[in-house]
Amino acid sequence: SRQGGRRRGPGAPARRGSATPQRTEARGGPSLAPSMASINVTNVQVLDNPAPFTNPLQFEISFECLASIADDIEWKLTYVGSAQSEEYDQELDSVLVGPISVGSYKIVFQAPAPDPAKIPAEDLIGVTVIILSCLYRDAEFVRVGYYVANEYTDESLKDDPPEVPQVDKVERRVLADKPRVTRYPIEWDDPAAHEEENQPPQAMSPG
């Protein structure tokens, strides 16, 4: 599966923003499985779903910081334009989140819709994939992949699809109840630096 392993990043750089996470009280709810990493993503909710294809993509992300980290984390969203080639991948946006200390947090990550002009006409309608990934110091440590169904809302267009897609008539539906979560072991912070601060080194791999 394309969302299951590491992939080359899209060629065009994303707009880089920044965000300050909101602290939240720990509480029960759906979990993306525990991890021994310094950052553990506990839940992702897809907002405004289903929605017109041209609407922004929005995610409410809950995570916890289990051990202090020195730098921001970075969230990225990638839209897979075609299953045939990664050249049609679009990195929709990226945002830096920090500073982060030990505790629970929640953010809303919004990214613009993909550019339909960069998607092959034959691939715009149907099922594709979006990939929400989080990185620390340019190292990806978690990826959440979702299938996305793009369909016409007009029955006549469903029965007789136009050769040139009518994007304003397309509805996007993220299959939010079936995420595929992949975790990667990374180096978090320099253990030597922690020794100087008389702190133990960070956990190096997810559970």
Side-chain angles (χ1 to χ4, degrees):
S1 175
R2 287 172 58 89
Q3 68 265 46
R6 289 191 178 277
R7 305 185 321 147
R8 170 190 55 79
R15 174 176 61 83
R16 296 176 65 89
S18 61
T20 301
Q22 292 184 336
R23 273 190 177 274
T24 61
E25 295 296 328
R27 57 185 178 181
S31 174
L32 297 185
S35 168
M36 294 302 294
S38 294
I39 298 294
N40 179 37
V41 180
T42 56
N43 193 39
V44 177
Q45 289 189 326
V46 183
L47 307 179
D48 189 26
N49 182 52
F53 181 86
T54 53
N55 275 25
L57 287 144
Q58 299 179 64
F59 301 87
E60 183 183 85
I61 305 167
S62 300
F63 63 93
E64 55 189 357
C65 179
L66 304 176
S68 297
I69 56 176
D71 293 320
D72 295 347
I73 58 175
E74 180 180 17
W75 287 96
K76 290 184 179 182
L77 185 64
T78 301
Y79 184 91
V80 176
S82 173
Q84 305 304 315
S85 174
E86 292 180 352
E87 70 175 291
Y88 298 109
D89 287 2
Q90 295 184 46
E91 189 175 298
L92 302 180
D93 207 350
S94 68
V95 62
L96 296 172
V97 178
I100 299 173
S101 56
V102 174
S104 298
Y105 298 89
K106 182 182 294 183
I107 64 168
V108 173
F109 178 28
Q110 177 173 298
D115 182 352
K118 297 179 180 179
I119 302 172
E122 64 272 19
D123 291 319
L124 197 146
I125 303 299
V127 177
T128 186
V129 170
I130 54 173
I131 298 169
L132 180 66
S133 52
C134 195
L135 302 87
Y136 183 66
R137 294 179 173 173
D138 296 323
E140 182 182 26
F141 63 90
V142 65
R143 171 180 299 183
V144 185
Y146 295 97
Y147 287 108
V148 180
N150 297 315
E151 299 177 331
Y152 286 114
T153 54
D154 189 308
E155 290 297 329
S156 63
L157 293 177
K158 288 183 180 180
D159 296 336
D160 185 20
E163 185 174 338
V164 178
Q166 296 185 20
V167 179
D168 60 331
K169 302 290 181 63
V170 176
E171 180 183 75
R172 178 189 67 228
R173 181 167 55 90
V174 179
L175 304 185
D177 60 335
K178 299 179 180 178
R180 175 162 180 174
V181 182
T182 309
R183 300 179 186 276
Y184 305 104
I186 68 167
E187 297 289 332
W188 286 92
D189 285 324
D190 182 5
H194 286 276
E195 288 173 5
E196 291 175 2
E197 299 170 3
N198 296 318
Q199 296 180 0
Q202 305 293 335
M204 293 299 179
S205 61

